[in-house]
Amino acid sequence: MVSTARVVVIGGGFGGLNAAKGLKRGPAEVMVIDRTNHHLFQPLLYQVAAAVLAPGDIAVPIREILAKQRNATTIMAEVVAIEKEAKQVVLANGDRVSYDYLVVAPGARHAYFGHDEWEACAPGIKTLEDALRIRERLLISFEKAERCDSISEAEKYLNFVIIGGGPTGVEIAGAIAEIAQLTMIQNFRRINPERTKVYLVEGCEEILPPYPKRQGKYAREALEELGVEVLTNTMVTHIDRTGVTFKGGKLIPSRNIIWAAGNQASPLLKTLGIELDRAGRVKVQPDLTIAGYPEIFVIGDGAYLEDKKGKPLPGIAPTAIQQGKYVAKVIRKKIAPDKRKPFRYFDKGMMATIGQNKAVAVLGKFGLNGYLAWLAWCLIHIAYLIGFRNRILVLINWCFEYFTGSRGSRLIDRGLSDDH
């Protein structure tokens, strides 16, 4: 008789969910534990922040996804510690859950490089709550600017500063520029939304550092066509409610600062009591386990592993998906530690959208810019969304915005009482 393994999966993101689904037909009892009740499609989270999509368009309840998987259960709880020797995870309420195999995929948060006090004024975009808070600030800024008696007074509400010139920063900068120029222009009487200034700040020589220079140059030119001011080789020294201060003393007054400059792995990984890198990631073995514990796998944003060329694997959705499937296969087939083949990442490329009809893509040795890259970006993101309903809703919203310029998710839930 085949014994049934108890598998605990921490995190319902791309990695954790694919690990759980990969065990559907295996001799396993799977428990997925997540702080929220939903799986979030993070690549489109910035579009919630920019009022393009509604939260329900890119999020699906984890229970719904696993509803037909008879060997899977879901718990909404926060894991605060992992006890390796006891083979247990500890929940925030003190409950303990035992495991035979543990898949750790808790995701990451934004890193402020020793300045955590900046988060209050410069939130990042990692959760629905983050995106909704940024959307609220964005929409309230236009409302408050409309009530100002002078252009100089309104300036702090119409300046948007995005710190970090990676894919997320580029995408949110383009989205904010478009909402000002295409969506808001007909909606206000006292202010001209076209006066909105969007700044994209990057410490490196070019934006999109992981991309070839050709794609970075195209992205910069496309953003500048949208009115975005791109500041490269620029270091931030201070952030507060008055704005952003740069090395050299320059201040950009702004109440709308978005952080997209770095990630820090979940603090839960510290409870493993093993070596972590500077970003808080676990230096995993070739089979994605931790040294000395072949039953504990760490995947996704929390894992540090180098490819054949000695470069760290990218912290993107395809990496987590492939790792989740790999781990599921190892557990399902009960492959002994000394028989496991090393995890190999298949690079499917990188993409970033800048605005309507404008995107960059790197597919192997080939690069694409412009409309074809944008079309490929749209199709691939639709395909990766979980659930037919979500795919249809996102497609409809994109078509509606494309042809009308209007964005439907512009309700302010908390009103103007916030001391923004």
Side-chain angles (χ1 to χ4, degrees), residues 229-290:
E229 185 170 341
V230 180
L231 306 174
T232 52
N233 290 318
T234 303
M235 304 302 294
V236 175
T237 59
H238 186 68
I239 298 173
D240 58 26
R241 290 179 66 83
T242 62
V244 183
T245 304
F246 304 105
K247 188 176 181 180
K250 179 182 178 181
L251 169 70
I252 296 180
S254 175
R255 290 294 186 90
N256 296 283
I257 307 163
I258 300 172
W259 189 266
N263 294 322
Q264 185 74 21
S266 170
L268 173 65
L269 299 176
K270 295 178 182 178
T271 68
L272 287 169
I274 57 176
E275 183 183 5
L276 306 176
D277 73 351
R278 289 198 304 174
R281 297 174 296 183
V282 174
K283 295 183 177 181
V284 296
Q285 301 299 300
D287 63 351
L288 304 178
T289 62
I290 64 177

Side-chain angles (χ1 to χ4, degrees), residues 115-137:
H115 293 280
D116 291 346
E117 70 277 9
W118 292 354
E119 184 172 9
C121 300
I125 311 178
K126 286 292 184 183
T127 67
L128 278 179
E129 184 180 7
D130 294 335
L132 291 173
R133 184 164 66 248
I134 290 171
R135 185 183 76 180
E136 182 182 311
R137 286 189 176 192

Side-chain angles (χ1 to χ4, degrees), residues 294-324:
E295 74 280 2
I296 300 178
F297 300 85
V298 182
I299 63 177
D301 291 328
Y304 178 90
L305 184 66
E306 296 178 350
D307 61 17
K308 293 180 179 179
K309 297 180 181 178
K311 295 182 178 180
L313 298 184
I316 55 179
T319 305
I321 290 171
Q322 292 178 37
Q323 289 177 335

